[in-house]
Amino acid sequence: MTNKEIAGSFDLLAKVMELHSENPFKIRSYQNAYLNLRKLDKPLGSIPLEELKDIPGIGDAIADKIQSLVNTGSMPTLEKYLAKTPPGVIDMLRIHGLGPKKVAVLWKEHGFTSPGELLYACNENRLIELKGFGLKSQETIVQGIDFLQSSAGKFLHTKIESHGTEIINKIKNKYPHSENEMTGNWRLGDLEIRTLEILTTCKPEELKSLFSEEDMAWKNKSAEHQSHATWKEFLPTIFYHADQKAWVKNLLLTTGPENWVSKFDLDGEWTSEQDFFEKNKLPYLPPELRDIDFIEDKSQPFISSLVSLKDIKGIIHSHSTYSDGIHSLKEMGDTAQELGYDYFVITDHSQAAVYAKGLKPDRLEEQWSEIDSLNKNYKAFRIFKGIECDILASGDLDYNEAILSNFEVVIASIHSAFQMDIDKATKRLIKAIENPATNIIGHPSGRLILSREGYPLNYSKIIDACKVNQVAIELNANPQRLDIDFRFIRECVKKEVFIAINPDAHNRSAIKDIRYGVQAARKGLLPKELCLNALGLEDFQKFCNKR
């Protein structure tokens, strides 16, 4: 199990225990375990029991539960509570806007045992009369159920990547001379994927002898040169079988999309995809751009102008132990330098984010002093004094003007009061954009892919305001966010508004998440000239000083 999956088990345990009105102190300990474990960059399965106990918020009991999850994939305490909770009630906990306390009321006092029952009741306006709910709550619940149902059977790009890599590694260990590559929607860079697709030179019988029945449940579904299965009881998987001579043809076919592939004659023996493009007198089109059918200029100069990972000069938006990060400021800065970046912006949370140990003025001064000390020892590298400053419900920023003036970089973000209509949300963001202290608007829609729909925004007005006020828009590279959505980046490009591709890193390894943001930026047709952190140190500093 991954760290996030293990952390998720503690999150679920805390919620189910709250459903059953258990000891609030135990519930809080499991909630804290969830928050701490999900940000660790070292695999929990590789940490000895005694070291587990030294992790903040992890004692003997929680460490034992972690080891149980690592060794068996289950946790007896969680299984006990799940056994006495209807599965549909567990599903109700996944409805955005419904916490465990409200789910408990709906289940125990009103008899709802599934999202479907709850939706039917909402359609009959039955929740309006219930104490503690009302019309607005009913509307929020309907939206949450609609989103939950539309997301069913979909997986994050990174989850597909993680399991696909595990499968391919197993194949390569057994058949080292085989060719294997993830393909389909994953290769196109889609945000939400239903099926893991792998192109392989292995034969069906070789794969079936390799994987145990517990890992891979094979299906009888027949298709030429295909094998269908379910990986670990949850992930639909298709293997496409091809010999080496037809490898490139099949890679192009399985990557798709179909309307793009259908334009070409794929017959022939190609040594690589680049070879296929060259021999057809076409510029090479990377997979993430093949589903864009309206690019007028498909010339090589256009494609080569798009931002790439090697263009990124600095890391903006990161957290340390000063707020809710796992590693110290020095550890984060050192890692950024070791990865070859020229600068690093620390943007811990502001004081309103109490849940994330947001920084009060005295802690800010302590951090600024440490930054000054660290910068004296760096050569050709610099840490900037930044903050991820909460945008309050009024649209004001979280600190007064005197404190804000001491930051070198201010990312203004919304972390609370999400229930807004399009007019209120747009005005709130524009007020923050117009604040002279703001340099970047962070994760503008607030969405969490497959978990929470973003609040509605008038993007044209937001982008126009950023242009007028010389404010950049963040493309948050956390694979659960990828916010701003790549489709709106195209309008930013037309209006020459900078995009900052930011990892929102809460530990050292998460700095590398920036690669997901770069892929999304390329789908948005972002040229490197309009990527804020593709600027060198001096030009980046000049941009920030304009405000």
Side-chain angles (χ1 to χ4, degrees):
M1 297 181 74
T2 66
N3 288 4
K4 286 188 177 180
E5 288 170 335
I6 291 170
S9 295
F10 285 98
D11 183 42
L12 179 58
L13 176 58
K15 289 175 178 175
V16 178
M17 287 181 67
E18 194 169 352
L19 278 179
H20 292 279
S21 303
E22 295 290 359
N23 186 319
F25 295 104
K26 281 191 174 182
I27 292 170
R28 178 60 60 85
S29 71
Y30 294 136
Q31 290 171 334
N32 289 337
Y34 161 68
L35 293 172
N36 289 327
L37 294 176
R38 68 179 181 152
K39 292 178 288 192
L40 290 177
D41 61 346
K42 186 177 180 180
L44 286 162
S46 67
I47 303 177
L49 181 62
E50 291 306 313
E51 287 185 31
L52 281 175
K53 296 174 184 178
D54 292 334
I55 297 173
I58 308 300
D60 291 354
I62 290 177
D64 288 339
K65 288 177 173 62
I66 292 170
Q67 288 224 315
S68 176
L69 286 165
V70 168
N71 296 329
T72 69
S74 67
M75 184 200 307
T77 305
L78 176 58
E79 299 303 323
K80 179 184 77 173
Y81 283 101
L82 291 177
K84 58 182 182 180
T85 312
V89 173
I90 302 298
D91 290 338
M92 287 166 62
L93 289 170
R94 298 174 57 210
I95 301 171
H96 179 60
L98 269 187
K101 287 185 172 60
K102 284 197 171 184
V103 170
V105 170
L106 291 167
W107 170 33
K108 295 182 177 180
E109 296 183 20
H110 303 290
F112 296 109
T113 59
S114 72
E117 289 180 356
L118 191 56
L119 180 61
Y120 187 83
C122 289
N123 290 336
E124 292 190 340
N125 290 317
R126 286 165 49 197
L127 262 66
I128 292 176
E129 305 301 325
L130 299 185
K131 183 180 178 182
F133 290 89
L135 178 60
K136 191 170 182 180
S137 294
Q138 180 173 276
E139 290 172 348
T140 299
I141 289 170
V142 169
Q143 291 172 0
I145 294 173
D146 286 345
F147 184 77
L148 179 65
Q149 291 178 339
S150 68
S151 301
K154 296 178 182 176
F155 304 94
L156 286 173
H157 183 277
T158 46
K159 194 173 189 71
I160 294 288
E161 180 179 79
S162 172
H163 287 279
T165 301
E166 181 181 352
I167 291 170
I168 288 175
N169 286 341
K170 284 178 178 286
I171 296 172
K172 290 293 287 184
N173 286 336
K174 177 71 172 177
Y175 306 108
H177 299 297
S178 65
E179 289 286 341
N180 307 275
E181 188 161 349
M182 281 181 278
T183 184
N185 295 92
W186 177 86
R187 199 158 182 258
L188 292 173
D190 288 357
L191 306 182
E192 304 169 359
I193 303 169
R194 292 186 179 275
T195 304
L196 168 60
E197 299 173 75
I198 296 176
L199 180 65
T200 180
T201 54
C202 288
K203 293 178 171 56
E205 56 270 21
E206 291 177 320
L207 297 183
K208 288 177 181 178
S209 68
L210 171 61
F211 294 104
S212 68
E213 291 183 6
E214 290 181 358
D215 279 346
M216 197 76 74
W218 299 96
K219 297 184 178 181
N220 294 324
K221 185 175 181 180
S222 60
E224 190 176 7
H225 306 304
Q226 293 181 23
S227 297
H228 293 248
T230 301
W231 169 249
K232 293 190 175 178
E233 299 184 351
F234 81 97
L235 181 56
T237 304
I238 300 175
F239 292 95
Y240 300 104
H241 304 281
D243 59 41
Q244 192 62 56
K245 288 183 179 180
W247 178 262
V248 175
K249 173 183 176 179
N250 281 279
L251 186 58
L252 290 164
L253 278 170
T254 56
T255 300
E258 187 176 344
N259 64 345
W260 181 81
V261 172
S262 64
K263 299 173 183 178
F264 304 103
D265 178 6
L266 300 182
D267 289 330
E269 292 185 15
W270 320 104
T271 59
S272 65
E273 284 188 315
Q274 286 85 347
D275 182 43
F276 164 80
F277 281 93
E278 285 176 13
K279 288 179 179 175
N280 280 278
K281 295 182 172 56
L282 295 166
Y284 175 70
L285 195 62
E288 66 267 19
L289 300 181
R290 292 178 196 169
D291 58 350
I292 301 174
D293 58 6
F294 55 84
I295 300 176
E296 294 179 6
D297 181 4
K298 292 189 174 68
S299 65
Q300 193 66 42
F302 164 79
I303 296 166
S304 63
S305 74
L306 297 182
V307 68
S308 64
L309 193 57
K310 64 180 175 58
D311 296 318
I312 303 299
K313 299 292 193 296
I315 294 298
I316 309 170
H317 196 161
S318 53
H319 300 268
S320 71
T321 49
Y322 274 95
S323 66
D324 61 341
I326 289 295
H327 294 112
S328 69
L329 172 59
K330 184 178 187 304
E331 288 172 322
M332 294 293 284
D334 286 351
T335 300
Q337 185 185 40
E338 288 163 8
L339 289 171
Y341 296 106
D342 298 335
Y343 54 92
F344 175 80
V345 185
I346 186 67
T347 52
D348 280 310
H349 285 282
S350 65
Q351 58 190 349
V354 177
Y355 61 90
K357 299 189 297 181
L359 300 182
K360 300 288 186 183
D362 59 329
R363 289 282 282 160
L364 285 172
E365 291 182 9
E366 182 183 341
Q367 186 182 72
W368 294 338
S369 177
E370 183 178 354
I371 291 170
D372 289 339
S373 177
L374 289 171
N375 278 334
K376 290 177 183 177
N377 296 317
Y378 285 128
K379 293 181 179 178
F381 179 81
R382 189 183 159 203
I383 297 177
F384 282 83
K385 298 171 184 175
I387 194 75
E388 184 178 17
C389 190
D390 268 36
I391 301 172
L392 306 179
S394 63
D396 293 325
L397 299 190
D398 191 20
Y399 295 115
N400 61 36
E401 186 177 340
I403 293 176
L404 288 169
S405 66
N406 286 292
F407 293 110
E408 295 173 290
V409 182
V410 174
I411 301 176
S413 304
I414 290 176
H415 291 111
S416 61
F418 292 120
Q419 302 303 320
M420 301 174 283
D421 59 30
I422 188 168
D423 184 56
K424 183 177 179 181
T426 302
K427 286 180 178 178
R428 182 179 177 185
L429 269 182
I430 288 177
K431 186 173 181 180
I433 291 166
E434 291 174 343
N435 190 306
T438 302
N439 300 111
I440 303 166
I441 285 293
H443 45 71
S445 83
R447 76 173 180 187
L448 293 175
I449 300 169
L450 298 181
S451 298
R452 181 176 72 206
E453 199 165 17
Y455 38 82
L457 289 172
N458 184 322
Y459 279 94
S460 289
K461 289 185 177 180
I462 295 295
I463 295 167
D464 286 342
C466 285
K467 176 65 176 177
V468 169
N469 292 279
Q470 301 181 71
V471 169
I473 298 178
E474 176 179 79
L475 167 50
N476 190 297
N478 183 308
Q480 278 191 282
R481 288 192 183 273
L482 294 175
D483 180 18
I484 185 172
D485 188 277
F486 71 87
R487 285 169 281 259
F488 298 112
I489 290 177
R490 296 165 190 165
E491 185 173 350
C492 294
V493 172
K494 289 177 182 177
K495 295 178 179 178
E496 298 184 331
V497 170
F498 272 102
I499 297 293
I501 305 176
N502 299 339
D504 196 354
H506 285 71
N507 60 57
R508 291 176 298 187
S509 66
I511 292 173
K512 295 179 182 178
D513 283 352
I514 199 164
R515 66 191 178 96
Y516 300 114
V518 169
Q519 185 180 49
R522 288 172 64 83
K523 287 180 78 70
L525 311 182
L526 179 69
K528 55 193 168 204
E529 291 78 12
L530 286 174
C531 177
L532 183 62
N533 42 328
L535 297 178
L537 192 154
E538 289 186 11
D539 287 336
F540 173 74
Q541 189 165 5
K542 286 177 183 176
F543 175 89
C544 295
N545 289 345
K546 285 180 184 179
R547 297 288 287 160

